[in-house]
Amino acid sequence: MLRLNLLPKTNGRFFSSALYLTGDKAREQFAVLVPYLDFKHKLGDFERLKRNVRLRRYQQLDCDNLIRQWELYREVEKRKKEIEQCRIELQKRIQQTSCKEEQKQLKSRAILARDDLKMLKEQSYKVADAFIANSFLSIPNDLHQRTPEDECQCIYEKPVPARIERAATNVERLQEQLEQFGQTCLYMTGDAAWMDLRLPMHCCETFRQNNCILFCNPDFVRSFLVEAAMVSKESLFLVREDDEPEDKVNLLHLCGGGSLLSFLGYFTKLSVFPSALPLRLVASGKRYHFQQTQSNEVHVFGACKTSQEAEQMFDDMVQIYKRFYDQLPIGYRLVQVAAPNLRPIESMRVDVEVFDGRNERYVKVAELGYYTDFLSKRIAFIYHEGKVQHFPHVIAGTAMSSVELIKLFLGNGVTLADLPMINTFAEQK
């Protein structure tokens, strides 16, 4: 039986990584995934890494400490290889010699080398855990050349329609059709309820007409995928399972089928044929946020073989976003997000911001991110060309979030009658 735990402090019990387990922890915990650790790319140019961290204003990573841990980790690994090589050479000499006295001496040295290696391996677990789990896997994605360094940039804007109703009427309609019960419960009636049903359906159909495949995702995700996507576990509901060990690290979380996390389970440790790429998927489902109202959302996911193909798919997806939002009687803009506002896993992102005429501000309702091959390496999503292993480049994003969009519609005088593209049950005259 599953139990939803609403207490945020329960998520604070995570002291170990579920994404990367050292050998000592793997004896008690099942290692579902071994992420690809690209030391050469990530640590090959420290100046590039420091610039990335500085532009992002990323406080979770201390580059100087990372360098020290990297040097210690390499030294320990080098010493382990030297001892192992010494053991192999001693074994060969034992087999080759016919002198009993020399065999005895060589066996004594081999036993000492074995014990030294065993002791060093036990000590190396702490070094690997501190370096890989707590530092290396915290390194953010590389910044794309399109990402602004300081300020967000508007790349497209649709003007606000001229027709605006009186503010008092809008507020009254909003209060009538959206009734809030605390932070996590919202009750919809009338046009709001119909919009909540039909907007995701119409959005999915827009993407389906543009060569995207409809997908159905699970509502739950394990901790190792939450870590792989660099999402805070405190932002998700924790689901407690019966007979769950107290020291279990790979727990169950409620995310909803309209999120990036819900896609990841399908592609983790997956090897696809090159002919299967590119992938263009769209899924509609709930999105559960800790201490926020759940929402019906539409999420898109794409995968390509190369960065050039992925950038082209990213631009194509942005055009589909525009086709969907251009149909709506609202003003909106597309914003190229600056480096300080990116999530660690993102290389580039474009946000859709709708104009709220009542409050004279823009409100974010959708986004599209480019993850390069960074995410694929963390979940071991691969394809092969000959005997060479490659990692697909991934794009993904929320195409629409119903609650925020409906609040903006009703608050600015947009009713179901103003949305003929989704009002499919209107009476035929």
Side-chain angles (χ1 to χ4, degrees):
M1 182 178 179
L2 303 179
R3 301 187 303 279
L4 189 65
N5 203 319
L6 303 181
L7 298 178
K9 65 181 181 180
T10 55
N11 279 2
R13 77 177 197 166
F14 290 89
F15 298 104
S16 297
S17 171
L19 178 60
Y20 178 80
L21 295 176
T22 51
D24 55 337
K25 295 175 183 175
R27 298 166 186 165
E28 300 174 357
Q29 308 281 350
F30 177 66
V32 181
L33 171 67
V34 179
Y36 178 75
L37 304 176
D38 193 355
F39 295 131
K40 182 177 180 181
H41 175 73
K42 289 297 180 184
L43 302 176
D45 187 344
F46 280 113
E47 291 305 316
R48 181 189 63 196
L49 174 60
K50 289 180 178 179
R51 179 179 180 274
N52 186 0
V53 171
R54 175 175 55 81
L55 290 177
R56 288 177 179 269
R57 301 171 193 170
Y58 188 59
Q59 304 296 325
Q60 290 87 335
L61 186 66
D62 183 340
C63 290
D64 293 332
N65 185 51
L66 174 68
I67 294 171
R68 289 192 295 270
Q69 290 180 333
W70 169 231
E71 291 174 349
L72 177 59
Y73 176 80
R74 284 196 299 177
E75 183 62 31
V76 171
E77 291 300 308
K78 179 182 177 182
R79 181 60 181 153
K80 284 165 61 176
K81 289 180 180 178
E82 289 175 350
I83 297 176
E84 183 63 36
Q85 184 62 34
C86 178
R87 285 187 64 213
I88 293 173
E89 291 176 358
L90 287 171
Q91 291 292 340
K92 289 181 179 178
R93 290 177 61 184
I94 291 171
Q95 293 173 0
Q96 292 172 355
T97 185
S98 58
C99 178
K100 298 294 183 182
E101 185 63 28
E102 186 179 3
Q103 278 188 347
K104 184 177 179 180
Q105 293 178 0
L106 292 174
K107 286 181 180 179
S108 298
R109 290 175 59 186
I111 292 172
L112 289 174
R114 181 197 63 193
D115 293 341
D116 287 346
L117 183 59
K118 181 179 179 181
M119 184 181 300
L120 186 58
K121 281 184 177 180
E122 292 296 328
Q123 295 173 348
S124 70
Y125 292 143
K126 292 183 180 179
V127 175
D129 194 43
F131 168 60
I132 297 176
N134 296 325
S135 294
F136 181 78
L137 290 176
S138 298
I139 296 176
N141 199 348
D142 296 333
L143 292 174
H144 193 273
Q145 59 185 7
R146 292 195 208 170
T147 299
E149 292 188 2
D150 299 310
E151 300 293 333
C152 298
Q153 297 176 0
C154 179
I155 58 176
Y156 174 80
E157 184 171 4
K158 176 190 172 185
V160 180
R163 186 186 65 82
I164 300 178
E165 295 186 6
R166 297 180 60 183
T169 306
N170 300 340
V171 173
E172 182 180 347
R173 182 182 296 113
L174 179 63
Q175 291 175 339
E176 287 178 355
Q177 298 191 2
L178 292 174
E179 192 171 358
Q180 191 93 26
F181 296 92
Q183 291 182 312
T184 60
C185 185
L186 183 70
Y187 188 70
M188 295 185 183
T189 60
D191 284 0
W194 280 115
M195 290 178 188
D196 191 45
L197 174 67
R198 298 177 190 173
L199 276 170
M201 295 169 61
H202 178 66
C203 185
C204 284
E205 180 61 19
T206 301
F207 280 91
R208 191 193 67 79
Q209 291 175 356
N210 287 274
N211 302 318
C212 290
I213 300 172
L214 288 174
F215 221 62
C216 183
N217 291 334
D219 286 323
F220 300 95
V221 65
R222 287 288 179 183
S223 297
F224 77 98
L225 289 178
V226 178
E227 290 184 27
M230 302 183 82
V231 174
S232 170
K233 299 187 185 81
E234 283 70 29
S235 67
L236 300 171
F237 289 102
L238 175 63
V239 181
R240 303 301 297 271
E241 302 172 83
D242 285 345
D243 303 322
E244 182 180 273
E246 190 62 30
D247 62 346
K248 184 177 181 180
V249 296
N250 195 23
L251 303 180
L252 191 65
H253 305 269
L254 178 65
C255 62
S259 64
L260 171 63
L261 291 174
S262 64
F263 272 105
L264 297 187
Y266 287 105
F267 297 101
T268 297
K269 298 171 66 175
L270 178 66
S271 177
V272 298
F273 289 107
S275 58
L277 299 173
L279 288 172
R280 298 161 64 97
L281 309 175
V282 59
S284 175
K286 292 289 186 183
R287 178 75 174 273
Y288 298 97
H289 308 267
F290 193 79
Q291 294 185 334
Q292 294 182 36
T293 305
Q294 68 185 41
S295 178
N296 282 326
E297 297 193 0
V298 174
H299 206 89
V300 295
F301 183 95
C304 297
K305 288 190 287 187
T306 66
S307 59
Q308 292 80 9
E309 291 178 3
E311 288 170 12
Q312 183 59 53
M313 179 184 285
F314 184 90
D315 294 336
D316 293 343
M317 285 288 189
V318 169
Q319 292 302 315
I320 302 175
Y321 275 54
K322 287 174 64 177
R323 290 190 194 109
F324 174 72
Y325 284 95
D326 280 344
Q327 301 175 66
L328 306 178
I330 53 173
Y332 76 93
R333 66 185 183 186
L334 300 179
V335 176
Q336 190 83 48
V337 179
N341 304 114
L342 289 179
R343 301 182 185 91
I345 200 170
E346 295 170 337
S347 177
M348 169 175 63
R349 192 177 82 231
V350 168
D351 287 349
V352 180
E353 297 179 350
V354 171
F355 184 73
D356 181 1
R358 182 159 58 91
N359 297 305
E360 296 293 324
R361 64 189 180 97
Y362 279 92
V363 179
K364 177 183 171 182
V365 297
E367 64 183 31
L368 183 66
Y370 175 40
Y371 302 94
T372 66
D373 58 357
F374 184 83
L375 180 57
S376 298
K377 290 177 179 178
R378 294 173 74 91
I379 64 173
F381 174 31
I382 64 174
Y383 71 94
H384 287 88
E385 289 185 334
K387 295 184 179 180
V388 182
Q389 176 179 284
H390 299 279
F391 297 90
H393 288 245
V394 172
I395 68 168
T398 301
M400 63 146 286
S401 178
S402 64
V403 171
E404 289 300 326
L405 203 51
I406 291 169
K407 285 181 179 180
L408 290 167
F409 280 161
L410 299 182
N412 290 277
V414 178
T415 65
L416 189 62
D418 299 313
L419 302 170
M421 74 291 297
I422 70 168
N423 195 13
T424 55
F425 292 94
E427 293 185 6
Q428 300 292 328
K429 293 186 180 180

Short mmCIF file of all heavy atoms in Angstrom, two decimals, residues 214-237:
data_model
loop_
_atom_site.label_atom_id
_atom_site.label_comp_id
_atom_site.label_asym_id
_atom_site.label_seq_id
_atom_site.Cartn_x
_atom_site.Cartn_y
_atom_site.Cartn_z
N LEU A 214 1.73 11.01 -29.73
CA LEU A 214 1.09 11.08 -28.42
C LEU A 214 1.64 10.00 -27.50
O LEU A 214 1.77 8.84 -27.90
CB LEU A 214 -0.43 10.93 -28.56
CG LEU A 214 -1.18 12.12 -29.18
CD1 LEU A 214 -2.64 11.76 -29.38
CD2 LEU A 214 -1.05 13.35 -28.30
N PHE A 215 1.94 10.37 -26.28
CA PHE A 215 2.57 9.47 -25.33
C PHE A 215 1.78 9.49 -24.03
O PHE A 215 1.10 10.48 -23.72
CB PHE A 215 4.01 9.94 -25.07
CG PHE A 215 5.01 8.82 -24.98
CD1 PHE A 215 5.26 8.00 -26.05
CD2 PHE A 215 5.73 8.61 -23.82
CE1 PHE A 215 6.20 6.98 -25.98
CE2 PHE A 215 6.68 7.60 -23.73
CZ PHE A 215 6.91 6.79 -24.81
N CYS A 216 1.87 8.41 -23.27
CA CYS A 216 1.19 8.34 -21.97
C CYS A 216 2.24 7.99 -20.91
O CYS A 216 2.92 6.97 -21.02
CB CYS A 216 0.09 7.28 -22.00
SG CYS A 216 -0.86 7.19 -20.46
N ASN A 217 2.37 8.84 -19.91
CA ASN A 217 3.44 8.70 -18.92
C ASN A 217 2.90 8.31 -17.55
O ASN A 217 1.75 8.59 -17.22
CB ASN A 217 4.20 10.01 -18.78
CG ASN A 217 5.03 10.33 -20.00
OD1 ASN A 217 5.43 9.44 -20.74
ND2 ASN A 217 5.29 11.60 -20.24
N PRO A 218 3.74 7.69 -16.71
CA PRO A 218 3.35 7.37 -15.33
C PRO A 218 3.36 8.62 -14.46
O PRO A 218 3.96 9.64 -14.81
CB PRO A 218 4.43 6.39 -14.88
CG PRO A 218 5.63 6.78 -15.68
CD PRO A 218 5.10 7.22 -17.03
N ASP A 219 2.69 8.54 -13.32
CA ASP A 219 2.64 9.66 -12.38
C ASP A 219 3.75 9.61 -11.34
O ASP A 219 3.91 10.57 -10.58
CB ASP A 219 1.28 9.68 -11.65
CG ASP A 219 0.16 10.16 -12.54
OD1 ASP A 219 0.39 11.07 -13.35
OD2 ASP A 219 -0.96 9.63 -12.42
N PHE A 220 4.49 8.51 -11.29
CA PHE A 220 5.48 8.32 -10.23
C PHE A 220 6.89 8.22 -10.81
O PHE A 220 7.08 7.82 -11.96
CB PHE A 220 5.15 7.06 -9.42
CG PHE A 220 3.81 7.09 -8.76
CD1 PHE A 220 2.70 6.53 -9.38
CD2 PHE A 220 3.63 7.70 -7.53
CE1 PHE A 220 1.45 6.57 -8.78
CE2 PHE A 220 2.41 7.75 -6.92
CZ PHE A 220 1.30 7.18 -7.55
N VAL A 221 7.86 8.56 -9.98
CA VAL A 221 9.26 8.52 -10.40
C VAL A 221 10.12 8.15 -9.19
O VAL A 221 9.77 8.46 -8.05
CB VAL A 221 9.68 9.89 -10.98
CG1 VAL A 221 9.64 10.98 -9.91
CG2 VAL A 221 11.04 9.81 -11.63
N ARG A 222 11.24 7.49 -9.46
CA ARG A 222 12.16 7.10 -8.40
C ARG A 222 13.21 8.19 -8.17
O ARG A 222 13.48 9.02 -9.04
CB ARG A 222 12.86 5.79 -8.76
CG ARG A 222 11.97 4.56 -8.66
CD ARG A 222 11.67 4.21 -7.23
NE ARG A 222 10.80 3.04 -7.10
CZ ARG A 222 10.36 2.58 -5.94
NH1 ARG A 222 10.71 3.18 -4.81
NH2 ARG A 222 9.56 1.54 -5.90
N SER A 223 13.81 8.14 -6.99
CA SER A 223 14.76 9.18 -6.58
C SER A 223 15.94 9.32 -7.53
O SER A 223 16.44 10.43 -7.77
CB SER A 223 15.28 8.89 -5.17
OG SER A 223 14.24 8.93 -4.22
N PHE A 224 16.43 8.20 -8.09
CA PHE A 224 17.62 8.29 -8.93
C PHE A 224 17.35 9.11 -10.19
O PHE A 224 18.25 9.78 -10.70
CB PHE A 224 18.17 6.89 -9.27
CG PHE A 224 17.41 6.14 -10.32
CD1 PHE A 224 17.86 6.13 -11.63
CD2 PHE A 224 16.28 5.41 -10.00
CE1 PHE A 224 17.17 5.42 -12.61
CE2 PHE A 224 15.60 4.70 -10.96
CZ PHE A 224 16.03 4.70 -12.27
N LEU A 225 16.11 9.10 -10.70
CA LEU A 225 15.78 9.90 -11.86
C LEU A 225 15.56 11.36 -11.48
O LEU A 225 15.83 12.26 -12.29
CB LEU A 225 14.53 9.34 -12.55
CG LEU A 225 14.73 8.02 -13.29
CD1 LEU A 225 13.43 7.53 -13.90
CD2 LEU A 225 15.80 8.14 -14.36
N VAL A 226 15.07 11.60 -10.27
CA VAL A 226 14.95 12.97 -9.78
C VAL A 226 16.34 13.61 -9.71
O VAL A 226 16.54 14.76 -10.11
CB VAL A 226 14.26 13.00 -8.39
CG1 VAL A 226 14.19 14.43 -7.86
CG2 VAL A 226 12.86 12.40 -8.47
N GLU A 227 17.30 12.84 -9.22
CA GLU A 227 18.68 13.34 -9.14
C GLU A 227 19.28 13.50 -10.55
O GLU A 227 20.02 14.45 -10.80
CB GLU A 227 19.54 12.39 -8.32
CG GLU A 227 19.22 12.39 -6.84
CD GLU A 227 20.17 11.49 -6.06
OE1 GLU A 227 21.32 11.28 -6.51
OE2 GLU A 227 19.75 10.98 -5.00
N ALA A 228 18.96 12.57 -11.44
CA ALA A 228 19.49 12.65 -12.80
C ALA A 228 19.03 13.92 -13.50
O ALA A 228 19.78 14.53 -14.26
CB ALA A 228 19.07 11.42 -13.61
N ALA A 229 17.79 14.34 -13.23
CA ALA A 229 17.25 15.56 -13.82
C ALA A 229 17.61 16.81 -13.02
O ALA A 229 17.18 17.91 -13.37
CB ALA A 229 15.73 15.45 -13.95
N MET A 230 18.37 16.63 -11.94
CA MET A 230 18.81 17.74 -11.08
C MET A 230 17.62 18.54 -10.55
O MET A 230 17.63 19.77 -10.52
CB MET A 230 19.81 18.63 -11.81
CG MET A 230 21.03 17.89 -12.30
SD MET A 230 22.29 18.91 -13.09
CE MET A 230 23.17 19.53 -11.66
N VAL A 231 16.58 17.80 -10.15
CA VAL A 231 15.38 18.40 -9.55
C VAL A 231 15.46 18.20 -8.04
O VAL A 231 15.86 17.14 -7.56
CB VAL A 231 14.10 17.75 -10.11
CG1 VAL A 231 12.86 18.26 -9.38
CG2 VAL A 231 13.98 18.01 -11.60
N SER A 232 15.05 19.21 -7.29
CA SER A 232 15.06 19.11 -5.83
C SER A 232 13.99 18.13 -5.37
O SER A 232 12.82 18.25 -5.76
CB SER A 232 14.82 20.49 -5.21
OG SER A 232 14.61 20.37 -3.81
N LYS A 233 14.37 17.18 -4.53
CA LYS A 233 13.38 16.23 -4.01
C LYS A 233 12.34 16.93 -3.13
O LYS A 233 11.21 16.45 -3.00
CB LYS A 233 14.08 15.14 -3.20
CG LYS A 233 15.08 14.31 -3.99
CD LYS A 233 15.60 13.16 -3.14
CE LYS A 233 16.69 12.38 -3.87
NZ LYS A 233 18.00 13.01 -3.77
N GLU A 234 12.72 18.05 -2.53
CA GLU A 234 11.80 18.79 -1.68
C GLU A 234 10.66 19.43 -2.46
O GLU A 234 9.67 19.87 -1.88
CB GLU A 234 12.55 19.88 -0.90
CG GLU A 234 13.34 19.38 0.29
CD GLU A 234 14.56 18.57 -0.11
OE1 GLU A 234 15.10 18.82 -1.21
OE2 GLU A 234 14.96 17.68 0.66
N SER A 235 10.78 19.48 -3.81
CA SER A 235 9.71 20.06 -4.63
C SER A 235 8.66 19.04 -5.01
O SER A 235 7.67 19.38 -5.67
CB SER A 235 10.31 20.68 -5.90
OG SER A 235 10.85 19.67 -6.75
N LEU A 236 8.86 17.77 -4.60
CA LEU A 236 7.95 16.68 -4.97
C LEU A 236 7.34 16.03 -3.73
O LEU A 236 7.94 16.05 -2.65
CB LEU A 236 8.68 15.61 -5.78
CG LEU A 236 9.33 16.05 -7.09
CD1 LEU A 236 10.21 14.94 -7.64
CD2 LEU A 236 8.28 16.45 -8.11
N PHE A 237 6.19 15.45 -3.92
CA PHE A 237 5.58 14.64 -2.85
C PHE A 237 6.35 13.34 -2.70
O PHE A 237 6.72 12.70 -3.70
CB PHE A 237 4.11 14.34 -3.17
CG PHE A 237 3.20 15.52 -3.08
CD1 PHE A 237 2.77 16.17 -4.23
CD2 PHE A 237 2.76 15.98 -1.85
CE1 PHE A 237 1.92 17.27 -4.16
CE2 PHE A 237 1.92 17.08 -1.76
CZ PHE A 237 1.50 17.72 -2.92
#
